[in-house]
Amino acid sequence: MKDSPTTGHNDAGPSHGGTGTDLAAPEGTALENRFANPGLPAHRFRTTDTDPKAARNAERQVSTIFLLSFIGTVVFLVGYFALPIEDDKSLGRLQLSTLVLGLGLGFAIFCIGIGLVHWAKTLMPDHEQVELRHDIRGTDEDRRDATNIILDGVEESGVMRRTVIRNSLIAALGILPIPAVVLFRDLGPLPGTVLRESLWEEGVRLTRDPDGTPIRAADVTFGSVFHVIPEGLAESSHPIEEKAKAAVLLIRIQPEDVKPIESGMINQADWSYGGIYAYSKICTHVGCPVALYEQQTHHLLCPCHQSTFDLTQHCKVIFGPAKRPLPQLPITVDSEGYLVASAGFPVPPGPSYWERGVSE
Amino acid sequence: MKALAARRRHPLGGVVVMLLALLVVGGAYSVLTPSTASAAGASTEDVQKGRELFLANCSNCHGLQAQGTGEGPTLIGVGAASVDFQVGTGRMPLSANLPQAMEKPVQFNDQQIAQMAAYVASLAPGPAIPAEEFQSFSDDPERISKGNELFRTNCAMCHNAVGVGGALTRGKWAPNLQDVSAKHVYEAMLTGPQSMPVFNDANITPEEKQDIASYLHFVGTEPSPGGLSLGSLGPVSEGLFAWAGGILALVGCAVWLGARSS
């Protein structure tokens, strides 16, 4: 402490309840202390300190609160055994079970916490204590000693002299993270072409969601919207995953309302049939279903982040965080008059991913 | 009668007599009032009356021949269902030129609405008012369940999972559907009013339209299990409620922890 520069003139360190630190006056003379250190306020005794009856009461309260915790534990156990979710997978039962388990366990733990705090506040010792604050910096002597310990260690290990050992150690530590790469690889495999492929391909019929009945082109009147899934979706191995890629919105508008293809766009002029347009329903932002179609403005709105796509401009993004237009599904009619895809999606539907490529 | 006579000077006697009189008058009115006209059997007289109503109330925006003007679209071919929906829900005549037509008290009686619908239907063929059998709710659980499935697929994205409605772009919104009649739900799907697309009978059959209306009626009358539906808005209002309640509880705990014991 003696040589510590930060303590200044007060070698004993700041002490609580002392005369306090003098302020330095501009002329270098100490100002007189205009305020006496008030010190600690007088100790105020609690009723439980002075009245044995109150102390007994508090004791009873604490134990009652601890015993109340039993109720929560019992509620949890009863909920666990009386509301099994294995035999009834309905959502309502699951919600009730979760609610009872959570409230029971929460109440049990909460009561123990409340009881402990109440115990500490009413019955445990209540005297004031002063802890002096010490300088954080060690003395120069301690700092010198610490440096010497490290230098001695370096010297004794010979790491500076035996460079072969040192360099081989560095090399060993350097390749140690490689097993982590192998472990992370187990999280894979990389998506590959899975996100590029959907159930849509040439000749697949457009069917109604959810009952899977095919749609005639004549059924789609102007201003109407059909929610579409590919035929045979229910028979696929992962219907929900396939639906998340293949869901399509079918809209019929007056063909003259749609603006011509601009240069630089994919030539999708003949991808519609008589004003019937099929667009992916999966938002290119984070994949919510874009199905809010406004008949008058021909805008498609995503309910999650308000990305807005303009059907008259080939589902170009006109507002919101989405970056790419909704992919269009090329459609035509088969010999029986039903709508069919004439090819799969030209670009992967849905949100971006690393392997997708920047150009798409 | 003796008991009645004995109490005729009771202070509440006048009130009782008044209530009885109201009951008699109201009962007689409901028995004697003429039944509403049906558009299906519209006579030339109805069409003529409808035309007069149209000229007086609608032609300003829709044109003298209902051909449409810069202020309002053509009504040729929109059909009786469109008139019945727009006028029957109070959206027409329009109260103000806003992004969306507001619902307000209906301005015409059922007969006048039917006459206007008959006039518009006489201009060109269009969607008709649904048959009587589709104007009521079904209470068959199978059909309500089917209605739920169809509603989730076709309607919930705009109108919310239980039909309480939601926001659209630029000041437009999808209205609450829970207290809408089966007829108006049906007509809205058939005609696609305002921002709403059309769901024709080839897409959603008349029975399925009734299923959807029945589902909406069912969820609208279903009591809330927690006692408080919080607007049925889902995670937003529920999360806010839980968050605010949780913060309040934590603040209470913190105040109690910091307070000195007496």
Side-chain angles (χ1 to χ4, degrees):
Chain A
M1 282 278 190
K2 264 180 281 184
D3 299 319
S4 168
T6 54
T7 50
H9 62 274
N10 195 350
D11 282 354
S15 71
H16 200 104
T19 55
T21 308
D22 291 338
L23 295 172
E27 301 84 26
T29 57
L31 289 172
E32 64 171 307
N33 281 324
R34 279 169 295 180
F35 300 104
N37 184 338
L40 291 171
H43 182 73
R44 187 174 65 83
F45 287 98
R46 301 168 297 188
T47 46
T48 45
D49 294 328
T50 53
D51 182 2
K53 207 173 140 201
R56 272 199 307 280
N57 261 342
E59 203 176 336
R60 266 198 300 278
Q61 284 164 2
V62 171
S63 60
T64 307
I65 296 170
F66 283 152
L67 292 178
L68 275 180
S69 162
F70 283 26
I71 298 176
T73 310
V74 169
V75 166
F76 177 89
L77 289 174
V78 168
Y80 184 81
F81 289 108
L83 301 167
I85 49 175
E86 287 87 3
D87 55 345
D88 181 1
K89 290 199 161 42
S90 72
L91 203 58
R93 170 59 72 86
L94 187 65
Q95 277 178 337
L96 184 65
S97 169
T98 311
L99 187 71
V100 169
L101 296 188
L103 285 181
L105 202 56
F107 186 75
I109 296 173
F110 188 69
C111 283
I112 291 174
I114 290 275
L116 285 173
V117 174
H118 193 49
W119 182 11
K121 286 174 65 160
T122 54
L123 295 172
M124 290 188 191
D126 185 37
H127 51 246
E128 288 84 4
Q129 278 183 333
V130 174
E131 286 183 19
L132 299 184
R133 197 193 295 176
H134 300 287
D135 287 324
I136 295 168
R137 191 183 192 278
T139 62
D140 285 353
E141 200 179 325
D142 289 343
R143 290 159 68 90
R144 241 180 349 256
D145 286 350
T147 315
N148 285 339
I149 288 170
I150 294 170
L151 291 178
D152 283 353
V154 171
E155 179 58 33
E156 285 172 14
S157 67
V159 76
M160 301 310 283
R161 276 180 290 124
R162 303 187 195 281
T163 49
V164 178
I165 291 183
R166 185 193 66 190
N167 292 348
S168 55
L169 174 64
I170 291 172
L173 288 173
I175 64 161
L176 192 61
I178 291 177
V181 176
V182 177
L183 289 178
F184 278 124
R185 201 182 167 281
D186 275 356
L187 296 173
L190 296 171
T193 58
V194 172
L195 295 172
R196 262 169 210 283
E197 291 159 359
S198 69
L199 289 183
W200 293 116
E201 55 185 70
E202 189 180 352
V204 174
R205 275 182 179 170
L206 278 68
T207 63
R208 284 181 191 81
D209 183 12
D211 53 5
T213 48
I215 303 164
R216 279 178 196 281
D219 292 344
V220 188
T221 47
F222 284 106
S224 68
V225 158
F226 283 63
H227 294 266
V228 170
I229 48 177
E231 187 167 38
L233 175 79
E235 288 82 47
S236 64
S237 51
H238 297 290
I240 291 180
E241 285 179 21
E242 292 299 341
K243 189 176 181 179
K245 292 186 286 183
V248 156
L249 203 62
L250 197 66
I251 305 166
R252 184 167 195 179
I253 68 174
Q254 302 286 355
E256 59 266 26
D257 286 346
V258 178
K259 298 200 171 77
I261 310 276
E262 293 167 26
S263 63
M265 291 171 68
I266 310 173
N267 182 21
Q268 44 201 46
D270 55 350
W271 286 8
S272 59
Y273 181 82
I276 305 175
Y277 287 81
Y279 279 97
S280 165
K281 203 161 104 177
I282 316 299
C283 186
T284 54
H285 177 222
V286 281
C288 295
V290 185
L292 283 70
Y293 172 65
E294 295 181 0
Q295 196 206 152
Q296 288 176 336
T297 54
H298 306 301
H299 291 171
L300 275 162
L301 177 68
C302 179
C304 295
H305 306 111
Q306 282 68 51
S307 289
T308 310
F309 303 87
D310 189 357
L311 187 65
T312 66
Q313 298 181 65
H314 311 278
C315 281
K316 178 180 136 181
V317 185
I318 55 167
F319 181 79
K323 191 165 173 289
R324 282 167 285 102
L326 294 173
Q328 185 178 4
L329 180 72
I331 54 168
T332 181
V333 287
D334 65 8
S335 54
E336 294 171 68
Y338 289 109
L339 289 165
V340 295
S342 51
F345 280 121
V347 291
S352 303
Y353 53 98
W354 284 351
E355 291 76 10
R356 186 190 162 103
V358 197
S359 57
E360 292 170 340
Chain B
M1 281 321 269
K2 208 172 174 186
L4 264 182
R7 287 182 173 82
R8 71 199 158 98
R9 293 206 186 278
H10 191 273
L12 289 175
V15 176
V16 170
V17 170
M18 180 80 88
L19 285 175
L20 281 175
L22 282 172
L23 200 67
V24 169
V25 172
Y29 178 80
S30 66
V31 169
L32 298 176
T33 192
S35 60
T36 53
S38 155
S43 61
T44 44
E45 191 197 353
D46 283 337
V47 172
Q48 186 53 37
K49 282 263 170 54
R51 183 167 177 275
E52 287 167 15
L53 285 164
F54 176 87
L55 289 173
N57 296 286
C58 321
S59 58
N60 222 13
C61 301
H62 292 292
L64 291 170
Q65 310 296 325
Q67 79 280 17
T69 68
E71 302 294 314
T74 175
L75 299 188
I76 297 168
V78 301
S82 189
V83 177
D84 193 64
F85 176 83
Q86 299 282 359
V87 184
T89 59
R91 285 177 169 81
M92 289 290 154
L94 210 55
S95 61
N97 201 357
L98 297 170
Q100 179 153 343
M102 305 283 284
E103 278 178 86
K104 58 185 189 310
V106 181
Q107 300 193 2
F108 300 94
N109 64 33
D110 290 351
Q111 194 192 1
Q112 289 170 320
I113 295 171
Q115 286 166 343
M116 280 187 273
Y119 167 65
V120 169
S122 73
L123 299 172
I129 294 170
E132 199 78 43
E133 55 178 311
F134 299 123
Q135 294 190 8
S136 58
F137 300 114
S138 163
D139 52 7
D140 179 2
E142 288 288 319
R143 295 193 58 186
I144 290 171
S145 172
K146 172 85 175 162
N148 174 16
E149 196 176 13
L150 288 163
F151 188 83
R152 278 200 322 257
T153 308
N154 294 284
C155 327
M157 58 292 287
C158 294
H159 288 286
N160 160 308
V162 292
V164 297
L168 293 175
T169 61
R170 301 178 189 206
K172 300 189 286 292
W173 69 93
N176 185 336
L177 303 179
Q178 284 192 343
D179 53 356
V180 180
S181 71
K183 183 174 79 163
H184 287 151
V185 172
Y186 188 114
E187 288 169 347
M189 279 188 268
L190 200 58
T191 61
Q194 301 182 58
S195 296
M196 180 168 162
V198 175
F199 296 92
N200 61 32
D201 287 350
N203 189 356
I204 297 175
T205 65
E207 285 78 19
E208 288 173 338
K209 287 189 171 77
Q210 191 177 25
D211 295 349
I212 290 174
S214 306
Y215 163 70
L216 287 167
H217 179 68
F218 174 78
V219 289
T221 51
E222 193 61 355
S224 181
L228 198 60
S229 73
L230 300 173
S232 300
L233 292 179
V236 175
S237 59
E238 288 165 19
L240 182 64
F241 183 81
W243 187 83
I247 289 286
L248 270 182
L250 288 178
V251 167
C253 286
V255 168
W256 177 71
L257 276 171
R260 274 184 78 97
S261 188
S262 62

